[in-house]
């Protein structure tokens, strides 16, 4: 079995990847928002996520102990070496698609970091406390917009429902526990993901109800992010994101 | 397409820290209270400028008319006895 | 009041207004002001706001390719600031009785202009450095002078904007400095960006004072506090020194220090290019407006939903 530092490294990397990939998507909204104010709101969320990615990459690099930097981890891995959940890499689509992704993800993160606060790893616990403050805001922002869109016009209602329905099959993997999770859970270091599922679903259901939307059902849940098996979307994102780092490997920016 | 809307205008007041006044910071557009508050937070407190925010629909503010400035404000100009410097303190007496 | 007395009243108000402006008093939204003053401000402030908003695009072009976590963070925060500044300025213009809807329409129909500089493309990462350093550097020279402009809401917006913008010019300069210390390819990239952005940055201050159409009223009413050429010279004096420190060459063979004036003399600006781009024939004029329209139109159903939700809630609560 992997030693404890390797497990924590993987864990920190996963958390960082989720934040990094999702922040990239949100940053794509810059200058494309439906209202100037909302443009700025989405950018604020993106900036929170970039900050989070940086801290968890730093911690991962420290745990790995090979002298890598957060940038090495963010920019110099191949597609199969990113461990974010598939939901994070889903394209922005229309505003309802983005809000649905934000809702599903931030409610999950809320319960995840609530639990990670109690980790016996002091760094994880401390970072979770800080992260939770941001997540609460992201969750409120997403929930409020879900209600406005769901209970807005006929068109917005349809778009909001469609968005939730489309993304639903990517929510299953959020609650999986693989060997890394299981080993860390056993030692009181990691979050018991499967146990968060019912809390998450109840929370989502309540928001959707207020938004006059229905909770979707899925025949099958997609999986693979934690193993580095992604959707086609990720490769394109990385191609763009890593362009300068790859084209000028010796350069400092 | 129907006529465009950029939503309603709200005025934003920020208290920089507990104990100080809420000061007018600027405006935002929003369709409801929650959105107005969140937009104000995202726009006017990005650099840690605030500990509390008020938002007020711009059309709820009642403002004095500049044409009334004479009758509103000038009569206060000659009430010097409202200011402490109007009074002569006996020599040697200490300030409270 | 008979119609005949109206012009007399207006004359009295005008001289009272001009006296008060001469004293250095600020003009506030509900104060009486000449129509020409109001129109001038609406044109200038909305153009300024549009510039901030359209200015998000050329830099936004590089967000998803920013080469480090730090670079991405800074760039995103900077572009966000620009959106914020657009918003402060739209609000200042709104106090003059024009709505944001109208201003956006004027922008999209070409009735209102925005700064010419944003019609140039950002081709390499070094362009992000050049924009921050030169374009924001030029903007800040102009904006610092506008902090004392006579219209209260505009002046207050400028004070806030200047405070926030102080990091923008530095981040651009830092990008250029880092690249100039880097690999030969990076140095080449930086110099190339310098070559392409220098002249358009000088054009940002507008035509020479002798050719500036809106200047005289603007000075009398203290909307404008310094002339185009004065501000341009101030910018050049500051920037040439910074370029030398990091080893960049200013692409102007005629640039030289003038002992007598205590300023740099520079070669003639290509005004033909300036007017060509203003008239819509820059590389990105159409692209920038098309982008703005697309975001605006794509967001229409979202704004409509927010409005509809508000109405439903109001009915529920009554």
């Amino acid at each position: 079995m992997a030693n404890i530092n390797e497990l924590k490294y993987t864990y920190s990397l996963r958390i960082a990847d989720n934040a990094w990939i999702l922040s990239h998507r949100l940053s794509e909204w810059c200058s494309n928002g439906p209202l100037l104010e909302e443009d700025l709101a989405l950018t604020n969320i993106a900036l929170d996520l970039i900050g989070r990615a940086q801290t968890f990459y730093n911690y991962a690099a420290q745990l790995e102990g090979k002298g890598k930097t957060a940038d090495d981890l963010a920019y110099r891995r191949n597609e199969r070496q990113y461990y974010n959940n598939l939901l994070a890499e889903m394209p922005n689509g229309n505003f309802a698609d983005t809000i649905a992704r934000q809702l599903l993800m931030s409610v999950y993160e809320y319960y995840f970091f609530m639990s990670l606060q109690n980790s016996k790893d002091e760094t994880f616990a401390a970072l979770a406390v800080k992260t939770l403050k941001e997540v609460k805001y992201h969750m409120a922002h997403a929930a409020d917009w879900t209600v406005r869109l769901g209970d807005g016009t006929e068109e917005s209602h349809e778009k909001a429902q469609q968005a939730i329905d489309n993304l639903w099959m990517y929510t299953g993997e959020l609650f999986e526990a693989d060997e890394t999770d299981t080993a860390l859970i056993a030692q009181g270091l990691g979050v018991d993901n499967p146990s968060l599922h019912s809390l998450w679903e109840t929370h989502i259901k309540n928001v959707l109800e207020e938004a006059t939307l229905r909770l979707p059902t899925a025949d099958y849940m997609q999986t693979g992010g934690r193993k580095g098996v992604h959707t086609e979307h990720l490769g394109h994102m990385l191609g763009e994101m890593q362009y300068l780092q790859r084209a000028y490997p010796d350069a400092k920016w | 397409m129907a006529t465009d809307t950029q939503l309603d205008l709200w005025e934003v007041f920020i208290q920089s820290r507990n104990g100080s006044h809420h000061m007018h910071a600027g405006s935002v557009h929003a369709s409801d209270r929650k959105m107005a508050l969140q937009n104000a937070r995202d726009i006017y407190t990005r650099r840690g400028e605030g500990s509390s925010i008020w938002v007020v629909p711009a059309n709820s503010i009642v403002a004095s008319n500049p044409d009334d400035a004479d009758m509103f404000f000038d009569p206060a100009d000659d009430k010097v006895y409202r200011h402490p410097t109007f009074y002569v303190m006996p020599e040697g007496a200490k300030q409270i | 009041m008979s119609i005949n007395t109206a012009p007399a009243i207006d004359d009295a108000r005008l001289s009272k207004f001009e006296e008060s402006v001469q004293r250095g008093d600020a003009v506030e939204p509900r104060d009486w002001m000449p129509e020409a003053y109001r129109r001038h401000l609406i044109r200038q402030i909305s153009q300024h706001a549009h510039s901030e908003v359209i200015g998000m695009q050329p830099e936004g072009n590089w967000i998803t390719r920013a080469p480090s976590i730090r670079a991405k963070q800074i760039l995103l925060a900077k572009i966000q600031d620009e959106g914020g500044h657009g918003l402060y300025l739209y609000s200042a213009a709104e106090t003059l009785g024009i709505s944001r809807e109208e201003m956006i329409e004027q922008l999209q129909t070409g009735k209102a202009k925005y700064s010419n500089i944003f019609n140039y493309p950002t081709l390499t990462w070094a362009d992000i450095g050049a924009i921050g350093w030169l374009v924001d550097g030029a903007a800040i020279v102009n904006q610092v002078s506008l902090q004392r402009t006579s219209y209260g809401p505009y002046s207050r917006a400028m004070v806030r904007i200047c405070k926030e913008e102080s990091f923008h010019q530095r981040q651009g300069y830092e990008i250029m400095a880092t690249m100039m210390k880097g690999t030969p390819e990076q140095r080449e990239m930086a110099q190339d960006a310098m070559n392409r952005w220098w002249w358009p940055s000088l054009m940002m201050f507008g035509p020479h004072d002798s050719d500036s159409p809106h200047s005289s009223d603007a000075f009398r009413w203290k909307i404008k506090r310094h002339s185009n050429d004065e501000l341009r010279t101030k910018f050049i004096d500051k920037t040439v020194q910074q370029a030398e420190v990091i080893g960049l060459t200013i692409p102007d063979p005629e640039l030289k220090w003038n002992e007598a004036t205590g300023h740099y003399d520079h070669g003639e600006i290509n005004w033909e290019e300036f007017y060509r781009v203003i008239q819509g024939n820059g590389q990105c004029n159409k692209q920038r407006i098309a982008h703005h329209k697309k975001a605006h139109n794509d967001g229409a159903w979202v704004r409509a939903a927010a409005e509809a939700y508000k109405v439903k809630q109001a009915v529920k609560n009554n």
Side-chain angles (χ1 to χ4, degrees), chain C residues 245-272:
Chain C
V245 170
I246 59 174
L248 279 166
T249 310
I250 307 269
D252 177 1
E254 291 173 53
L255 185 88
K256 67 169 191 292
W257 180 252
N258 183 330
E259 280 295 344
T261 59
H263 298 292
Y264 280 95
D265 290 335
H266 61 89
E268 197 42 85
I269 291 165
N270 183 347
W271 294 112
E272 205 183 304

Side-chain angles (χ1 to χ4, degrees), chain C residues 52-221:
Chain C
E52 297 279 356
V53 170
I54 295 295
M56 297 168 79
Q57 291 181 35
E59 290 180 280
N61 183 35
W62 278 89
I63 288 177
T64 55
R65 291 176 290 173
S68 70
I69 298 174
R70 182 171 181 271
K72 193 168 182 171
Q73 213 161 26
I74 295 171
L75 182 60
L76 200 51
K78 175 174 185 280
I79 303 175
Q80 185 195 40
D81 273 351
E82 274 146 22
H85 299 167
L87 200 143
Y88 305 158
L89 289 161
Y90 281 134
S91 305
E94 281 173 276
T95 64
L96 291 158
I98 185 168
S99 69
R100 204 195 285 181
E101 286 88 343
E102 289 172 90
M103 287 187 271
I104 290 176
E105 200 197 318
Q106 290 181 353
L107 169 69
Q108 295 187 344
T109 54
K111 199 180 157 213
K113 302 271 181 229
Y114 55 89
S115 179
N116 229 6
I117 194 85
F118 302 120
N119 292 319
Y120 292 81
T122 49
L123 303 179
T124 72
W125 175 250
D127 290 28
I128 298 306
I131 290 194
W133 177 41
L134 300 174
V135 175
D136 286 305
I140 200 124
V141 168
N142 194 25
Q143 286 167 346
V144 163
S145 122
L146 283 171
Q147 288 183 103
R148 291 173 48 241
T149 189
S150 60
Y151 188 57
Y154 192 24
S155 149
R156 289 192 284 276
M158 289 323 304
V159 169
R160 196 178 185 97
I161 289 172
C162 285
K163 214 194 277 173
E164 296 189 355
E165 285 235 345
S166 50
F167 94 81
H168 292 187
Q169 196 260 353
R170 283 190 187 201
Q171 70 91 29
Y173 189 49
E174 186 191 271
I175 290 176
M176 295 305 255
T178 308
M179 292 184 74
M180 288 306 286
K181 278 189 298 196
T183 65
E185 284 153 315
Q186 283 179 298
R187 285 199 291 278
E188 196 181 313
M189 219 186 263
Q191 183 64 54
D192 168 62
M194 175 79 184
N195 295 347
R196 283 182 288 110
W197 288 94
W198 174 254
W199 290 106
S201 301
L202 297 191
M203 293 176 199
M204 282 175 71
F205 296 96
H208 286 310
D209 298 344
S210 46
D211 305 321
S212 192
H214 303 296
S215 275
S216 58
D217 279 353
F219 275 112
R220 189 159 47 92
W221 290 328

